Structures are given as C-alpha cells and as structure tokens.
Amino acid sequence: MAAVDLRRQLGDVAGVGAGLVRASRSAWAGGDFAHAGELAEEAVEVLGAVGGEAVACAQVAGGATQDYEPAIALRYSEQALALAPGPSQARALALMTAGVCRNLRAYPEGSAMLEEAADIAESLGLAWELQRARANLIETALYARDIDHARRRNETVRTSLDDDIGKAAWHVMVGAAIDTAAGDYGAAGVLHDVVDRGGLEGSLQWFAEAFLAELLVRSGDSRAGSAVERFWDRARIDGQVQDRARASTVSAQYLWVFQHRDDHVTGRNVEILEATVDRAARWAVGEHALWLWLDGHLDALPDQAPQPVRWLGDGQWERAADWFAQKGVPFEQAVALSLGGTEARLEALRIAQRIGARALAARFRRELR
C-alpha cells in the first residue's frame, strides 16, 4: 500500500486505482477476503472518476460471490462486461464471476462464460485469470456432483502444470476433494502434510484445511473433530459468509456422522443456515440443511435445496439413492439408503464399509441393532 499512498501524493488517480486492485487481489490470495472486498470497492470509486473502473467492478463482483451476495456479484460483473466489450483482463474477471454465479444456481448454465474467460486469459497471457477460470470450472462441477467432468478437467490441467509447484498444489488438493466425493479417502496423508507444513499462501492453506476437514469426517478419522474446529476457527476469524457457511456445513456433518451432541454448535449451524438459505448456491444450501435435518434440527428441507436432496425430505429415498449412485458419490448414496427399510439399510452399511467410512458404518450398525 506504500505505492498507493505515494501515487495519492502525486495525484495519480489511475495509478491509485490500479494499485488498489492489485492490493485487493493480494489480500484475497492471502486469505483476507473482507479486506480484499473493501479495497476493490474503493478502487471502483477512485477509478470511476477517470473511466477505468471495469477491472475494479469485476474485482468487487468476485468479492460479493465470496460474501454470498449473488445479486451484487451479477450487477457488478454485468457493469464490468458493459465497460469491457472486447478481450481484456476486466472482461475475463467479470465472465468468471458471472459464470460461477450461474453455475452455482443452475449448473452448467455458466460454464460457457467460464470457458470464454479462460480463452481470453490464455490469449492475453493472464496467468492468474487463466488459473482461476479453470479452477472455477472444476469447483462448480464438483459442487454439482459432476464428478467425472471435474476429475477429467482437473487431471488435464494438473498434468500441464507439473513444472509449476505453486499452481499444481491447488489441483492436487482439489483432486483430493474429488476423490473424497467419490468415496476414496486415500489423500488424507497428503492433505495432512500440506496443512501441518504450512507455508502456502492464505487461500491455498484455506482450501487445504477445508478439504482435509471434510475428508476426515467422511472417512471417520479420530482427528476429524479437531480438524473441523480448526476450519471453523479460521472461517470465523478470517472468512466471509461463504466460508463460515461451508465450515458450518462440515461441522453439522461431523455431528451427525459421529453422533455427537453439542447444542451450542448446532444452534450456531442452524443460525448460519437461516441467514444464508436465500443467498447461497443450491447445493451449498442443500448439503448444509441435509445434515441438520437428518439430526432432527429442521422440520423440513428448504425449497432452495437441489432436487435430489428434496427427494429425501419427501420420502423418495430410493430415487435419491439412484441419483447419487449414477453420479458416483457413494457416501450420499449410503445416507439416502439408510432412510429406507432393513434391506436398504443393510446395503447402506455395505457401501459405508466398502469405501472405508468408519464412523458412518458404525452409526448404521447401531441403528440396525
């Protein structure tokens, strides 16, 4: 920020705005999402006076996505797109935000925009934007349980980055998240090493802790509780709404899978769900609500949840189980089957045992007894 202050003294308005945009991006990379948003908003105000606010608008839009403000994110991204009709950094950034918002609402509605963002970034040599566009395509596919697509795209990108350890690290971690969703928990050691070693930039460390917490919960590892608590503490101190909601989801999942009772934590998780149910992505709402509903803390699953989750609330567990099986997510398949009769519950137990979900299998055994 010293350079920004110097440019203020010189009266270089455009330079101040550009510096604020760079500072916003650095804050985001360091995991300080709230400060990143503040800097981006200041950049919009500063650059508006000289007609160069397209990049800043795109930066604000990205921050609004993190803060579960899709309407604001789309408004600023559309403003940036109007200001940058041709290939540019601003257009690439704005397309990323708009594409993510649309994919989280109705996958794969926004994938074409993310593809265009990646093409622009690659043609202009914008390394960071190219990496984020590719990452957004993978993350939104994973969110929508399009596991095969997420895996293929991740492997393709990771192979091309083998000589770039910093960029490849994220793809190693998201590869572990994809494996976890598919019922393969073998990446626990890799993620533990990443988290314990530290040294990654803030956002990468954030991703590692989030992926590790969920993996340990699903595998039934005895270290799950401490990992969930560490993830929540980081989200509470440094995160935005999206990050706290995700940490709350993993927390609710942990309490249900391990059959632990903590009224204080549950109350917090319900409160966060209620605050985000009308703003969050459909799958984020659905997964968050599912664990709370299964644990008896919600009377019904919200309408904002995706259809397969709502089937569970409507008693259509077999239909949901078939959908999850087709998508290749056996953990959710087992959960759905556990809501059926004895034969379905026995099959749920067999699946949990096969994938090594120890705490889930223990829960099913207790219920069967």
Side-chain angles (χ1 to χ4, degrees):
M1 291 297 292
V4 172
D5 292 337
L6 179 60
R7 290 186 182 279
R8 286 189 203 277
Q9 295 172 21
L10 295 172
D12 181 2
V13 178
V16 170
L20 288 167
V21 170
R22 287 193 293 271
S24 174
R25 183 174 299 179
S26 295
W28 189 93
D32 190 352
F33 303 124
H35 188 45
E38 293 170 0
L39 290 168
E41 289 179 4
E42 184 180 356
V44 171
E45 183 178 349
V46 169
L47 290 172
V50 294
E53 71 268 35
V55 172
C57 286
Q59 194 79 9
V60 171
T65 304
Q66 287 286 122
D67 215 18
Y68 272 169
E69 294 287 0
I72 295 175
L74 285 171
R75 185 173 76 247
Y76 273 101
S77 60
E78 288 168 1
Q79 183 177 344
L81 290 172
L83 292 166
S88 64
Q89 181 191 40
R91 186 168 185 83
L93 288 169
L95 285 167
M96 276 191 277
T97 296
V100 166
C101 288
R102 284 169 170 76
N103 261 3
L104 293 179
R105 181 184 61 194
Y107 178 88
E109 187 180 286
S111 292
M113 301 183 85
L114 292 171
E115 294 279 9
E116 184 183 348
D119 290 343
I120 290 174
E122 189 168 24
S123 68
L124 297 178
L126 302 171
W128 186 90
E129 287 78 1
L130 177 60
Q131 170 73 359
R132 286 311 309 158
R134 288 170 168 174
N136 290 154
L137 281 161
I138 296 165
E139 284 184 280
T140 53
L142 179 58
Y143 254 119
R145 306 307 191 266
D146 190 354
I147 303 301
D148 289 341
H149 186 75
R151 189 188 302 282
R152 286 195 305 272
R153 186 176 290 277
N154 189 57
E155 287 302 319
T156 298
V157 177
R158 187 170 69 175
T159 300
S160 70
L161 296 174
D162 282 343
D163 60 340
D164 190 325
I165 296 175
K167 292 179 180 177
W170 185 87
H171 291 279
V172 170
M173 289 187 287
V174 83
I178 292 168
D179 288 344
T180 298
D184 179 357
Y185 307 133
V190 173
L191 288 179
H192 255 299
D193 288 343
V194 170
V195 170
D196 293 342
R197 185 172 61 247
L200 293 172
E201 66 177 30
S203 59
L204 286 178
Q205 186 73 16
W206 181 279
F207 280 121
E209 291 189 15
F211 293 151
L212 176 62
E214 184 162 20
L215 188 158
L216 295 179
V217 169
R218 291 190 170 223
S219 65
D221 194 290
S222 60
R223 297 167 292 183
S226 59
V228 170
E229 185 175 351
R230 175 164 54 182
F231 179 31
W232 167 253
D233 285 342
R234 178 180 281 268
R236 176 179 56 82
I237 296 170
D238 298 325
Q240 289 183 275
V241 175
Q242 176 178 315
D243 310 303
R244 291 190 289 275
R246 185 175 180 188
S248 178
T249 298
V250 177
S251 170
Q253 183 181 31
Y254 167 73
L255 293 176
W256 180 77
V257 170
F258 282 79
Q259 290 187 285
H260 286 179
R261 182 177 179 84
D262 189 319
D263 293 338
H264 172 71
V265 172
T266 294
R268 178 200 72 199
N269 292 341
V270 170
E271 184 178 331
I272 291 175
L273 174 66
E274 291 174 346
T276 59
V277 69
D278 292 320
R279 301 160 57 191
R282 295 180 69 83
W283 273 106
V285 170
E287 188 175 6
H288 197 172
L290 176 61
W291 310 118
L292 292 167
W293 176 76
L294 287 169
D295 224 2
H297 303 302
L298 294 179
D299 294 332
L301 290 166
D303 293 339
Q304 294 87 339
Q307 186 68 70
V309 175
R310 296 203 309 275
W311 284 335
L312 296 175
D314 294 338
Q316 300 183 64
W317 58 267
E318 190 171 12
R319 189 176 184 183
D322 289 343
W323 191 92
F324 288 127
Q326 291 171 11
K327 290 295 183 180
V329 285
F331 193 95
E332 284 87 346
Q333 180 191 4
V335 170
L337 288 167
S338 74
L339 300 179
T342 301
E343 287 303 316
R345 292 185 178 199
L346 286 169
E347 178 61 16
L349 175 58
R350 285 190 287 269
I351 292 172
Q353 291 173 327
R354 173 173 58 80
I355 64 177
R358 297 189 296 272
L360 187 67
R363 179 188 178 99
F364 291 163
R365 280 194 292 270
R366 285 192 290 268
E367 291 173 347
L368 281 163
R369 292 194 193 104

